[in-house]
Amino acid sequence: MFRFALATIFACQFLPLRAESLSIAAASDLVYCLDELHAAFRKAHPDVDLKSTTGASGNLFAQIQNGAPFDVFLSADLTYPRALIKAGLADENSLTVYAIGHLVVWTNKATVDVSAGLSALAGEGIQRIAIANPEHAPYGRAARAALEQGKFWESLQGKLVFGENIAQTAQFVETGNADAGIVALSLVLSPRLSKVGRWTEVPVDAYPKLEQAAIVTKRGASNPRAATYREFLRSPEARKVFDRYGFRVSE
């Protein structure tokens, strides 16, 4: 019996440690970027089991408000993280701007020329224009602001179709269900979409700056890996990934 117990103890010393879990809620403009980002994170932290959910920032914010078990929230703007701080649902000191998002006018139809940017959306060949829903998607609000500044918002109302988030908006354009759309630069630069269609960047002064911010939630404050992940977002390794997807830390 003694020898059996000793052998069991000895064997247990060589059992692999169970990975620690970290749950991340991320804005949909990161949907393709996350794979590369997390691959880089795992190289340094192979003991962490990363679990990601993507969606419109406003919807993820609502889920966290309602008790969704996320440790870290990567929002497409500063509004929602600040709202979580105000509600006592996130650590104010953890607020970190990790990137600046950018808009592009994108099409996957050979007959549509988007080289003129926003002006091209008023062309006769465009019947359906996809943007993210401004009600809960920061990229949708930015698209609306750009259209309003260009005096196109009212005239194009009948042509607009709204994606639940910016990834779904891009899907509308990719599949031809929309003739063109205003989507995130990070999506059209991804390996998944980089050879699909044509795009033109919207001037950054046409819409409010899309400062994308990460924050550790109240739940994540008790998970030391959340702080580790937040620090990783500021690392040179993460920066290389963000750069490949057109994100920039400043303008």
Side-chain angles (χ1 to χ4, degrees), residues 155-172:
S155 62
L156 295 180
Q157 284 293 296
K159 296 182 178 183
L160 295 178
V161 292
F162 299 102
E164 182 68 13
N165 53 59
I166 197 62
Q168 186 183 66
T169 305
Q171 186 179 41
F172 289 163

Side-chain angles (χ1 to χ4, degrees), residues 11-161:
C12 287
Q13 291 178 343
F14 293 92
L15 289 175
L17 295 175
R18 187 169 63 182
E20 296 182 47
S21 178
L22 184 66
S23 182
I24 299 164
S28 286
D29 67 316
L30 297 169
V31 65
Y32 300 123
C33 178
L34 278 180
D35 286 343
E36 289 188 40
L37 194 67
H38 289 175
F41 180 83
R42 290 186 183 101
K43 285 183 179 180
H45 306 282
D47 58 323
V48 181
D49 178 23
L50 296 174
K51 298 178 180 179
S52 304
T53 298
T54 58
S57 296
N59 288 341
L60 294 172
F61 163 75
Q63 290 177 39
I64 294 170
Q65 276 190 314
N66 291 320
F70 296 122
D71 298 308
V72 180
F73 176 34
L74 275 62
S75 175
D77 70 358
L78 278 165
T79 302
Y80 294 117
R82 285 173 172 164
L84 289 178
I85 292 171
K86 186 175 181 179
L89 296 174
D91 176 11
E92 180 176 8
N93 294 325
S94 71
L95 184 64
T96 302
V97 174
Y98 61 86
I100 306 297
H102 295 79
L103 294 177
V104 299
V105 178
W106 184 46
T107 185
N108 193 28
K109 290 198 169 183
T111 56
V112 174
D113 179 10
V114 294
S115 60
L118 293 173
S119 298
L121 299 179
E124 293 182 1
I126 296 182
Q127 300 303 317
R128 290 165 64 86
I129 302 164
I131 69 170
N133 192 326
E135 293 299 317
H136 47 248
Y139 276 89
R141 287 197 290 273
R144 174 171 180 162
L147 291 172
E148 287 177 336
Q149 189 194 76
K151 310 299 183 184
F152 299 117
W153 178 254
E154 294 298 331
S155 62
L156 295 180
Q157 284 293 296
K159 296 182 178 183
L160 295 178
V161 292

